[in-house]
Amino acid sequence: MESSNRIILITVISWLLIIASLFLHTSGIIKIPFFNLKQSKGAIVVVEENYKGFNLVAIKEEVYAIPHGIPLSNPRRMKRQGTFEAHSKEEAKRMIDANKEDIEPRLYLVENNFRGFNIYRLGNRYYIVRAMHKEHAVPLPTKYPYHERYAGSNIENARGFVTKLKESEF
Amino acid sequence: MKPKSKELLLILFLALSVSILISIKVFIYDGCYAFDSNDDANHTFVNLKAAQDIMKNGSVPEINLYNNFGTPLLGDALTFPFSIQSITYWFLPNYLAMTINRAIIAFLTMIFLFLFLRSFLSPISSFVSTIIVFFAPGAFWNFAHHHYQMTLLCFSWILFIQTRLLRSARNDDNRHHETMQRHSERTYVIPSKARDLLLLWLGYFIFILSVSLQLVVFSLPFLILYLPIMDGLKKNKALTLNLTALILAIVATWPHISLFFHNIADSTRANWSPYSSVFTTLRDQILSLLFPPTEWIHYGINGHFTVATYFSIAFIIFAIVGAISLISRNRKLLLLIILLGFLPAIAGFLLQFRYGQYLPFFRSVDSSRVWWFSNIFLALAVGSLIDSKWKSDFSIIPKAIICFLTITIIIFYFAIPFKIFEIIDLALIHKLIILFTSISLILVLLSRKQYTVGKLLIITTILLAQIPTLIHVMGLNMGSCSKWNHYFSYKEAATFQPLHLLQEMEPHYRLASEEYTVEGHDLKAIFADVLGSDARAIISSQLLQNILLDNKLIKIDANYFFTQPWQSDKVSELGIRYLLVKEKSKDLASKKWNLIAEDKDNERGYFLYENPLKPTIAHIDQDGNRHFIKELQLIPNGIDLELPDISKEGNLIVSLSFSKSYRVYVDEKETPASMNYLGMMQIPIKPGNKNVHITFNRTSWFKLFSYIFISIVLLISSLYFFTSRIFGYK
């Protein structure tokens, strides 16, 4: 077979293979990991402006304390420029007060999205913060997004607190 | 098999495979159709219905009275009621018409793109380049939309005919010297010219009537410059024919063009665009060219910019190297690629991301759309690389440049984990594309002759680079027909949902829905002859928006929608009888609005309230007292009203956005109308007046056809003139 004919044949087969595999992947018959590409979600939420020379900006479930003068960019890049990453507005402020991200104690995620709230442990105390919408990646409706609230001294208490809590009160 | 037959099979395979591929979810999900539930369902389907209803009555479709207090139909940037793709909507339900349109238009686009590229490239390079052009993210994303989907088809058709003209003009010149007097030659050449001029005119005519004029404007430099670049300015007969066809097509479609600019000048989009300020830093802007932004940007970005700027490293690098390969082979083609490929592509980038915000026209448009056209010429460069003889086509300097590019890509690849945080967790497919691109360049540099393996590697890399576009644009990872992506939708999305709420409303009364206009309830109420109030149109009036905003009646989104606090008085004055809201409203209840229907099964819930005054869209205002008129009839492009007996002078207020294009007749006598404080039509009336006839009148069938007639007469004259005078045949 001539070289040009061989190239045409292989190209046509490759194109067919791509189409066929996209059909299989889309239909769910075979999930091809190769095609699992990320898709950006979420919104930039301004939590508080000008707290001791920092702006508090949230993306997905994290609050970023960004020093004035640092442009909003990729969180990994911002971190190299003196930005602190926190789980709540109050934690971000504690970091700003301490002038470092590595503070003790820190919010430690215990349970993600328990009835619409993330439960965190801070030392021996448990706090809740409104979780984010799984698909939209923005905070679930709440009066004070990214606000931490004391929920009890153990996980059971915290869960009970969430169960009793009316969302509108939060 | 003969080479021609093989090539025909190749074209058909390509066109058919793409037609099937772009309908992928239609085959996979039951009840899934290929239409956009956002722009098309909310705007095109709605306006085409309005246009068809008017045309069925023999009138020119001038205005859709059902949306936003009157939305012009002719010259609207999205509707195009005379477009070739609107024909299917006469025979099929809108969701099916769009599905079929997409498949047919994709099929034809692939054929004409292939034929044009084949004028310069081998069959396999044309195959690959056609795929690159069609699946370029911006063009492919917008292929979903009624007003964009004919773009590449018309553009490639015109380029293809121009190329034919170019060739036949060159052949003419040769023949002219040799056999000018031979009758047999004349009979062949003259009809060919006539046919090509006619086909060009038809191409431009359909292009202007079927595609957003913004894109037509973007495409014109390409369509005008292509021939002079290929054949110079002197004695360029093909250029003369091309310009003639273009000018005559503009003449034929002039009413449409002038109305478009008339509408857009007054619209909310005149100085604003949703496409500005997407990528604010140079790093982001460059990264967005190399990788689909949706894969690395840290927050959700909306619309086509999730992927539209993605060229891929492979495409960019192969286009550059392809152009370099032409330095010693075909300088004319190189010039074409530089002037119509690289320069506009770079200009589009700079206008979109760097300087467009400072320039009046470019501030309100998406300048990256120029890439839809420049991509064709960049793809020519890629095809040229595949067709080149590689090492022998590159002298020492080009080799050094390729070497530099190769090293840059390799450094870039290895720098990712350390310096380019945005793409640290880059998907495997992109890593492969980078690796294959650099290996291909090494092969280009080192191979002594055309390596089959090397060519195949380039082709494979290019095909791989299309996969992210396909997945993101068509939402192939979503596991659903329509979730998170509106390239495909279920047919229910083409109409008002939940349907039972629509059935609660009486026809010819006005609704306002408190929701982002993308939801579309307000517009799709037209399917039960209910009038909406919110704005969702490129050409919605800036003046009306300002008035409603000043009166604190609306909230701005991409356009605007009515919102609380509900001012019952003003809402009634605007003739709004129904309000569709998403939460039960104590405010409305306290103002005695009646909750007449609700739908709690729906995810968010809808609540339909009725105004206790049950206002109609027209009322008589006498010293602040309102008398709503029940005797009214919506007619094509207007409204007829029977007035009740009145004892003193007053004003008739019709809740249609004031426009000088309305003609108002009170008892058959033309009467001047004015604008009231809410931007509506206000007509003075006196005791004894019986009826009022209002009609929106900007053009007529006579005017529309006169322009076409004049154009055709000039076209026939041109045919005679060109064949007998310019080309020397009598």
Side-chain angles (χ1 to χ4, degrees):
Chain A
M1 192 187 281
E2 248 182 76
S3 160
S4 62
N5 283 345
R6 198 160 50 230
I7 291 176
I8 290 177
L9 186 65
I10 295 173
T11 304
V12 165
I13 290 171
S14 306
W15 180 237
L16 264 181
L17 276 176
I18 287 175
I19 294 175
S21 52
L22 284 171
F23 260 88
L24 290 172
H25 177 75
T26 307
S27 62
I29 295 170
I30 302 172
K31 275 288 169 198
I32 303 171
F34 188 63
F35 293 157
N36 284 335
L37 304 175
K38 287 199 299 182
Q39 184 127 5
S40 64
K41 288 178 181 177
I44 299 169
V45 180
V46 177
V47 179
E48 189 172 323
E49 285 181 88
N50 198 14
Y51 177 78
K52 296 183 180 178
F54 284 75
N55 290 328
L56 305 186
V57 173
I59 303 166
K60 295 176 186 164
E61 294 199 320
E62 310 308 324
V63 177
Y64 297 90
I66 308 171
H68 288 176
I70 302 291
L72 181 73
S73 62
N74 185 276
R76 292 190 192 108
R77 189 173 298 284
M78 286 195 298
K79 230 171 170 178
R80 296 239 172 159
Q81 297 170 316
T83 294
F84 306 140
E85 183 180 330
H87 292 307
S88 73
K89 180 172 107 172
E90 288 74 14
E91 187 179 49
K93 287 183 173 179
R94 288 195 289 274
M95 289 172 178
I96 295 169
D97 293 342
N99 199 24
K100 61 178 182 180
E101 185 179 298
D102 190 17
I103 56 172
E104 281 297 332
R106 279 201 63 175
L107 289 177
Y108 171 75
L109 182 66
V110 180
E111 189 162 346
N112 184 251
N113 202 352
F114 175 75
R115 298 190 174 193
F117 292 89
N118 290 338
I119 302 176
Y120 294 94
R121 182 166 55 78
L122 182 74
N124 294 323
R125 296 157 68 87
Y126 286 79
Y127 287 82
I128 55 170
V129 179
R130 197 77 163 112
M132 69 176 186
H133 192 289
K134 272 182 192 169
E135 290 174 338
H136 295 263
V138 291
L140 289 164
T142 179
K143 215 168 182 179
Y144 305 108
Y146 302 101
H147 168 61
E148 68 184 29
R149 181 164 176 176
Y150 177 66
S153 57
N154 60 49
I155 184 69
E156 291 310 319
N157 283 352
R159 285 186 187 135
F161 182 82
V162 170
T163 307
K164 285 180 191 168
L165 191 68
K166 286 183 187 168
E167 287 177 10
S168 57
E169 287 176 5
F170 195 76
Chain B
M1 195 185 283
K2 287 179 183 174
K4 281 277 174 198
S5 307
K6 270 188 199 169
E7 202 169 318
L8 183 66
L9 266 182
L10 188 68
I11 301 174
L12 288 176
F13 163 76
L14 177 65
L16 196 62
S17 67
V18 167
S19 263
I20 291 170
L21 178 59
I22 63 151
S23 310
I24 183 167
K25 287 190 178 177
V26 177
F27 297 108
I28 291 174
Y29 297 105
D30 280 345
C32 188
Y33 290 88
F35 72 94
D36 168 70
S37 59
N38 187 351
D39 282 350
D40 294 284
N42 292 341
H43 196 116
T44 306
F45 293 175
V46 164
N47 274 357
L48 282 179
K49 178 200 167 5
Q52 283 176 6
D53 287 347
I54 295 168
M55 281 195 269
K56 281 173 191 167
N57 283 291
S59 302
V60 179
E62 297 220 54
I63 192 159
N64 169 11
L65 296 174
Y66 288 85
N67 287 164
N68 187 218
F69 302 94
T71 303
L73 286 169
L74 271 194
D76 170 31
L78 285 94
T79 308
F80 296 94
F82 299 130
S83 60
I84 201 155
Q85 70 271 28
S86 66
I87 293 172
T88 44
Y89 291 82
W90 285 91
F91 309 105
L92 298 167
N94 44 35
Y95 54 87
L96 188 58
M98 173 60 94
T99 303
I100 288 171
N101 279 356
R102 276 198 207 171
I104 293 174
I105 294 169
F107 186 88
L108 294 173
T109 305
M110 296 310 283
I111 288 176
F112 277 97
L113 271 175
F114 185 98
L115 290 175
F116 170 67
L117 293 165
R118 183 69 183 92
S119 312
F120 301 91
L121 304 171
S122 69
I124 193 60
S125 299
S126 307
F127 182 96
V128 175
S129 301
T130 304
I131 288 174
I132 293 176
V133 175
F134 188 80
F135 290 114
F140 183 45
W141 177 287
N142 285 291
F143 184 73
H145 300 310
H146 177 76
H147 53 296
Y148 293 134
Q149 59 193 187
M150 286 286 291
T151 311
L152 283 178
L153 172 56
C154 292
F155 187 74
S156 53
W157 170 356
I158 294 168
L159 282 180
F160 172 64
I161 302 295
Q162 286 188 7
T163 310
R164 275 169 49 108
L165 265 175
L166 191 67
R167 288 190 172 163
S168 78
R170 283 175 182 166
N171 290 341
D172 275 6
D173 286 343
N174 297 336
R175 270 196 296 269
H176 194 69
H177 291 296
E178 294 166 10
T179 59
M180 192 174 166
Q181 302 304 318
R182 282 169 53 190
H183 181 74
S184 59
E185 290 292 332
R186 293 203 299 271
T187 52
Y188 166 71
V189 174
I190 294 170
S192 148
K193 286 280 181 313
R195 189 186 57 208
D196 286 345
L197 178 60
L198 193 64
L199 286 174
L200 261 185
W201 179 86
L202 202 61
Y204 281 118
F205 182 71
I206 293 173
F207 195 20
I208 295 170
L209 285 183
S210 304
V211 174
S212 168
L213 280 176
Q214 183 205 93
L215 279 173
V216 175
V217 170
F218 274 159
S219 74
L220 287 182
F222 296 89
L223 295 174
I224 293 170
L225 291 174
Y226 170 62
L227 289 171
I229 292 170
M230 291 305 292
D231 217 26
L233 279 170
K234 280 186 184 173
K235 292 184 181 175
N236 191 330
K237 296 165 187 173
L239 174 65
T240 311
L241 287 176
N242 178 46
L243 291 178
T244 305
L246 171 61
I247 292 166
L248 294 184
I250 290 173
V251 170
T253 54
W254 184 249
H256 173 80
I257 295 171
S258 62
L259 285 174
F260 172 81
F261 287 108
H262 183 280
N263 289 333
I264 213 83
D266 298 333
S267 86
T268 51
R269 284 285 184 92
N271 285 305
W272 170 84
S273 150
Y275 309 118
S276 54
S277 312
V278 180
F279 307 110
T280 49
T281 66
L282 186 60
R283 185 194 303 107
D284 284 359
Q285 288 157 4
I286 290 174
L287 276 178
S288 74
L289 303 177
L290 308 181
F291 309 102
T294 191
E295 290 184 43
W296 55 266
I297 212 145
H298 50 284
Y299 56 89
I301 46 174
N302 197 16
H304 68 287
F305 273 112
T306 50
V307 66
T309 51
Y310 167 61
F311 276 78
S312 86
I313 283 181
F315 182 26
I316 294 171
I317 296 292
F318 292 149
I320 294 170
V321 177
I324 292 171
S325 78
L326 288 168
I327 293 173
S328 57
R329 281 196 296 147
N330 189 342
R331 296 224 168 166
K332 194 169 270 183
L333 183 57
L334 175 63
L335 187 68
L336 183 74
I337 288 168
I338 290 173
L339 293 182
L340 299 189
F342 285 101
L343 283 184
I346 294 166
F349 176 86
L350 294 175
L351 285 170
Q352 180 59 36
F353 296 127
R354 312 298 296 183
Y355 306 113
Q357 56 186 308
Y358 307 113
L359 304 170
F361 171 72
F362 295 98
R363 188 188 304 139
S364 57
V365 299
D366 172 10
S367 301
S368 72
R369 287 178 187 174
V370 84
W371 296 340
W372 301 15
F373 310 111
S374 62
N375 278 341
I376 295 181
F377 300 93
L378 294 178
L380 268 178
V382 176
S384 299
L385 175 66
I386 298 170
D387 285 345
S388 82
K389 292 185 176 125
W390 293 14
K391 198 175 178 187
S392 58
D393 282 339
F394 299 110
S395 60
I396 188 72
I397 294 175
K399 273 182 189 167
I401 296 171
I402 296 170
C403 199
F404 170 77
L405 286 173
T406 313
I407 293 166
T408 307
I409 298 170
I410 293 169
I411 291 172
F412 176 79
Y413 182 80
F414 286 106
I416 288 172
F418 307 104
K419 286 284 178 194
I420 312 171
F421 302 115
E422 288 82 354
I423 50 172
I424 281 176
D425 40 7
L426 199 61
L428 177 64
I429 190 166
H430 297 295
K431 290 179 180 167
L432 286 180
I433 290 167
I434 299 172
L435 277 176
F436 288 178
T437 305
S438 46
I439 296 169
S440 302
L441 292 187
I442 292 168
L443 287 174
V444 167
L445 279 173
L446 299 180
S447 60
R448 292 196 177 277
K449 54 181 183 176
Q450 283 181 286
Y451 266 137
T452 303
V453 174
K455 275 192 171 189
L456 282 172
L457 191 61
I458 292 180
I459 292 169
T460 307
T461 314
I462 288 290
L463 294 183
L464 272 182
Q466 311 310 312
I467 290 175
T469 306
L470 289 164
I471 289 176
H472 292 304
V473 171
M474 295 198 287
L476 303 187
N477 268 337
M478 304 303 177
S480 145
C481 163
S482 58
K483 200 174 174 186
W484 296 118
N485 180 289
H486 38 82
Y487 214 80
F488 298 89
S489 298
Y490 290 107
K491 67 178 181 185
E492 288 75 17
T495 188
F496 192 104
Q497 293 296 325
L499 205 54
H500 71 89
L501 291 185
L502 188 60
Q503 288 155 356
E504 296 292 334
M505 291 180 264
E506 282 188 50
H508 301 155
Y509 282 88
R510 190 177 286 290
L511 157 81
S513 56
E514 190 192 27
E515 61 182 353
Y516 291 110
T517 47
V518 67
E519 307 277 343
H521 288 92
D522 204 271
L523 300 111
K524 288 186 275 196
I526 190 176
F527 292 115
D529 292 330
V530 173
L531 294 93
S533 310
D534 297 346
R536 172 154 178 73
I538 301 284
I539 54 168
S540 64
S541 158
Q542 181 69 56
L543 177 65
L544 181 61
Q545 175 179 305
N546 292 344
I547 291 171
L548 297 175
L549 202 57
D550 289 344
N551 280 280
K552 299 183 171 57
L553 285 161
I554 56 165
K555 184 174 178 181
I556 304 287
D557 65 343
N559 274 157
Y560 57 82
F561 59 90
F562 278 77
T563 191
Q564 51 194 307
W566 299 111
Q567 302 175 61
S568 264
D569 205 44
K570 287 178 184 171
V571 166
S572 300
E573 196 157 347
L574 288 169
I576 295 171
R577 176 171 172 180
Y578 303 106
L579 282 175
L580 184 68
V581 295
K582 288 187 171 174
E583 287 179 6
K584 273 191 179 173
S585 169
K586 288 178 185 170
D587 180 31
L588 287 174
S590 71
K591 288 168 180 158
K592 306 272 190 284
W593 283 62
N594 304 311
L595 179 63
I596 56 170
E598 59 187 270
D599 186 90
K600 283 186 197 165
D601 295 336
N602 196 291
E603 191 183 337
R604 281 172 287 186
Y606 287 105
F607 301 89
L608 184 66
Y609 284 88
E610 185 181 31
N611 191 328
L613 299 177
K614 297 187 178 176
T616 63
I617 58 169
H619 67 268
I620 296 169
D621 184 359
Q622 286 177 309
D623 303 329
N625 296 317
R626 279 194 292 268
H627 306 281
F628 290 102
I629 297 173
K630 306 272 184 197
E631 299 297 318
L632 59 86
Q633 191 184 359
L634 289 172
I635 56 171
N637 301 316
I639 182 168
D640 277 340
L641 300 122
E642 296 293 327
L643 298 176
D645 290 334
I646 53 170
S647 55
K648 53 182 176 177
E649 290 185 359
N651 283 313
L652 171 69
I653 310 292
V654 182
S655 76
L656 294 175
S657 176
F658 174 77
S659 164
K660 286 179 181 167
S661 299
Y662 282 108
R663 296 273 171 275
V664 178
Y665 301 89
V666 178
D667 293 336
E668 296 180 8
K669 186 181 169 193
E670 187 157 5
T671 306
S674 57
M675 184 172 70
N676 83 344
Y677 80 107
L678 288 173
M680 300 293 116
M681 298 281 293
Q682 177 171 293
I683 301 137
I685 52 169
K686 294 183 288 196
N689 287 152
K690 295 288 181 200
N691 58 63
V692 176
H693 172 74
I694 302 171
T695 180
F696 190 86
N697 188 0
R698 281 183 177 169
T699 188
S700 62
W701 287 120
F702 178 75
K703 189 176 172 185
L704 292 177
F705 281 111
S706 327
Y707 278 89
I708 296 174
F709 178 73
I710 291 166
S711 177
I712 290 173
V713 168
L714 291 172
L715 186 70
I716 293 167
S717 314
S718 311
L719 287 174
Y720 174 76
F721 178 76
F722 286 129
T723 49
S724 65
R725 302 288 293 275
I726 299 277
F727 299 109
Y729 299 110
K730 291 179 181 174

